[in-house]
Amino acid sequence: MKKWLIALSTATLLLTGCEAETNTGFSAKNIQQSWVLTKVDGKDISISEPRTVPGMAIDANLKVSGFGGCNRFFGQAEVADKNKFRVTNMGSTKMACIQDDQATVESVMTQSLQVWNNAALENNILTLTSEQHILTFVPEAIAEDTPKQP
């Protein structure tokens, strides 16, 4: 009887210890903050001062507002299936983009946000992956604490 009890206790502890804490997807609540775009397709975004860094803010009603590099944009975020994200009804200002790098980042960012993306939120990094591009964001508070590279 003691052997059976020990075996049962050991099995329970092992199974409990093996239970992996998986964080698949995210909730609409934990993306409600200001995000700064840090990478496009794995390449760092380099913005020389005093230009504003591209990013977006998502409020409690999932309203999105942001800056793509040249223009401000706004829309409505949608979250589905715990790992899908997109922005619908997007509108923006229509300022001319003089720098090609800004225009490219803005175009990729705004187009990618409007299609369904596979979304992952891990270690304060929001990754949105569409069929064409991968956008990587960090919370604005974390981006402000990161030292600027020359």
Side-chain angles (χ1 to χ4, degrees):
M1 179 74 152
K2 281 187 177 183
K3 286 183 183 179
W4 180 81
L5 188 57
I6 291 173
L8 182 62
S9 297
T10 303
T12 302
L13 286 173
L14 287 175
L15 290 175
T16 303
C18 291
E19 188 176 308
E21 205 175 301
T22 57
N23 186 2
T24 58
F26 57 90
S27 70
K29 184 178 179 182
N30 59 14
I31 61 167
Q32 295 171 10
Q33 59 182 309
S34 293
W35 297 94
V36 173
L37 182 67
T38 58
K39 294 182 183 187
V40 172
D41 298 330
K43 297 177 184 170
D44 289 336
I45 299 294
S46 61
I47 302 295
S48 10
E49 296 299 328
R51 296 186 335 202
T52 303
V53 178
M56 65 180 170
I58 304 171
D59 73 10
N61 296 318
L62 296 182
K63 299 280 185 199
V64 177
S65 61
F67 180 72
C70 301
N71 292 287
R72 300 218 166 269
F73 65 89
F74 54 90
Q76 180 69 45
E78 290 184 347
V79 176
D81 300 330
K82 295 186 180 180
N83 71 336
K84 300 286 186 193
F85 177 89
R86 74 175 174 179
V87 177
T88 61
N89 301 320
M90 187 181 281
S92 71
T93 58
K94 302 291 182 196
M95 304 292 288
C97 244
I98 297 171
Q99 287 88 2
D100 286 340
D101 60 335
Q102 285 177 283
T104 301
V105 168
E106 178 169 279
S107 175
V108 167
M109 180 180 168
T110 56
Q111 288 176 11
S112 293
L113 288 174
Q114 293 180 74
V115 298
W116 282 114
N117 288 269
N118 288 319
L121 180 58
E122 189 174 318
N123 298 325
N124 286 320
I125 297 172
L126 174 63
T127 305
L128 302 176
T129 306
S130 69
E131 289 183 10
Q132 289 81 28
H133 297 286
I134 300 170
L135 304 178
T136 306
F137 295 87
V138 298
E140 185 176 48
I142 291 174
E144 289 174 351
D145 292 341
T146 306
K148 305 277 188 257
Q149 295 180 348

